[in-house]
Amino acid sequence: MSESNNESLAWEKIVATYRGSLQSLEEIKRMELHFPQFLSHGLVGSEFRIGVTEDLQKQWFSELYSKPLEAAIKNAGLGDGIKVVFVIEKPSAIAKATVEEKQIKPKSAQATRRVRALPSTLPLHENYTFKNFVRGPSNSFAHAAATAVAKGLGRTAYNPLFIWGGTGLGKTHLMEAIGHYVLDNNPEASVCYITSETFLNEYVNAIASAGLPAFRARYRKYDLLLLDDVQFIVGKKQFQEEFFNTINQLLIYNKQVVMTSDVAPKELQLEERLISRFQQGMVTEIESPSYETRLAILKSKMQARNREIPSDILNFIAENIRSHVRAIEGALSRVVTFIDINPTMPLNLEIAQNLLKDMIEEEVTIKNITPEAIIQATAEHYGVTINDIKAPGRTQSLVTPRQMAMFLACKLTTDSLPDIGKSFDRKHTTVYYGSQQIQKRLSVEPDLKQAIAQISAKLGRKISDVLE
Ligand code: ADP
Ligand code: MG
């Protein structure tokens, strides 16, 4: 590490600027956990290089920090156009020894406890029980599989159980219901509920602190492992390996594994053996609820809150809010809040219609996707900005995001090519050409399909809405 005084001052300034840009406590906590893992930092040409030990750290930290640190360098007045890159650097023998020493001799009893009490399991949401889950044709199969798994833990053919479907349709609810059931009926059982993102974070930290053996041992002792949102592991190769081994170990010992994802296993673009492992168990989809199920969910939520709402208003919500259950709950909460604030005003349909106007408009936009929404979702997916996509230049790294957005706009909207062109500040021939490029690359680049699946999911669509 080039440790001239100037350079460490510069680094302090970058860190302070970056920290100042953070919005949430969570982000600050994450930074405090991760930055001490950087072995070195320094400017080489127009690259600001940060050294780490592991491939996965390199990949994961680049995703999280490269762009924001580039902005911080610029905002701190330390240079424009400097690229932040993470590089692998083997730790020096001295640094290694310090890490190991820390492991063997914790400074105090407190430190030991903290290590032991690593946050392996997240709390289960109190209301996410089977009792509170309304069954309907859209989820009855997933519900049946989840009940079977809860009752016959590790002894059913549904292992692993893989539940997938769009956001807000009840995947997490169903998964946690299994956890509640098992804990209620078998208090001895060790249950872990965790999102794949947290799982990955812990893995990265375990590598950094030489705690991999402890990490592995911990995850392999659970009777029930609930892994939420596994679409998150896509593209993280080294982590996939760890993920696979963890699941495999549990299955060998007849421990139960349940996973959820917002796309189907085959869209995850994981290694073949991982997908076939998932498919040896049970894969089940949750779909959007029908009108009857939406109404039943509304009634059940009313009962749970011990409230009554006129049935014409419930019907109105069920008819108009269709996208997902979370939106239905949102509408209901708003109505209930209104009643609480205005206890003397009798609630009628007209008031409710007014109250929910923007939510219903949003539902309509969810139905009719606009090129703007597509540009936004695509930009988010690739970690670029809307302006990047619309910008006139031909920067190589922006070609795929831009053409992808054009392709999706052609597939998912009914706008004419000239209209789509306007949204991109480009001619309609450019939109046509861009869209064709993606179409051509599809058969040889599986990554593109995965991108389509993920961006479509953000837009409340399935890959089959695009590729058929
Ligand atoms: P997902 O994990 O699929 O994004 P969640 O499980 O977080 O969705 O569900 C979103 C909200 O909708 C939660 O508050 C959940 O309780 C509720 N919900 C979803 N499906 C049902 C259902 N069938 N019955 C009752 N509540 C449901
Ligand atoms: Mg969820």
Side-chain angles (χ1 to χ4, degrees), residues 354-368:
N354 253 321
L355 205 56
L356 302 175
K357 212 166 141 205
D358 60 320
M359 288 184 147
I360 289 159
E361 274 164 13
E362 211 170 286
E363 289 284 320
V364 175
T365 12
I366 290 175
K367 260 185 275 163
N368 305 325

Side-chain angles (χ1 to χ4, degrees), residues 167 288 320-328 358-370 373-374 412-413 456-462 465:
T167 58
S288 297
N320 288 285
I321 311 272
R322 302 152 174 249
S323 56
H324 47 73
V325 182
R326 197 172 286 133
I328 297 174
D358 60 320
M359 288 184 147
I360 289 159
E361 274 164 13
E362 211 170 286
E363 289 284 320
V364 175
T365 12
I366 290 175
K367 260 185 275 163
N368 305 325
I369 296 180
T370 60
I374 291 172
L412 289 173
T413 70
S456 312
K458 271 185 203 281
L459 294 160
R461 291 291 191 276
K462 294 183 191 166
D465 295 332

Side-chain angles (χ1 to χ4, degrees), residues 128 132-134 139 168-173 301 325-326 329:
Y128 288 5
N132 292 338
F133 191 84
V134 176
N139 61 34
L169 294 182
K171 300 182 297 293
T172 299
H173 186 140
K301 302 272 166 190
V325 182
R326 197 172 286 133
E329 285 185 322

Side-chain angles (χ1 to χ4, degrees), residues 31-70:
M31 155 188 177
E32 282 173 352
L33 205 60
H34 288 163
F35 278 34
Q37 298 174 23
F38 300 168
L39 293 179
S40 64
H41 42 75
L43 196 62
V44 181
S46 63
E47 275 184 4
F48 190 85
R49 294 194 187 155
I50 299 178
V52 289
T53 47
E54 302 292 330
D55 236 12
L56 185 76
Q57 288 177 312
K58 179 177 149 185
Q59 195 183 349
W60 179 224
F61 291 162
S62 305
E63 241 175 66
L64 282 174
Y65 300 118
S66 282
K67 283 255 152 65
L69 285 177
E70 279 163 15

Side-chain angles (χ1 to χ4, degrees), residues 396-415:
Q396 198 52 36
S397 60
L398 295 175
V399 170
T400 299
R402 184 178 298 134
Q403 294 187 337
M404 174 61 82
M406 291 174 172
F407 174 76
L408 291 171
C410 292
K411 293 286 183 182
L412 289 173
T413 70
T414 49
D415 290 21

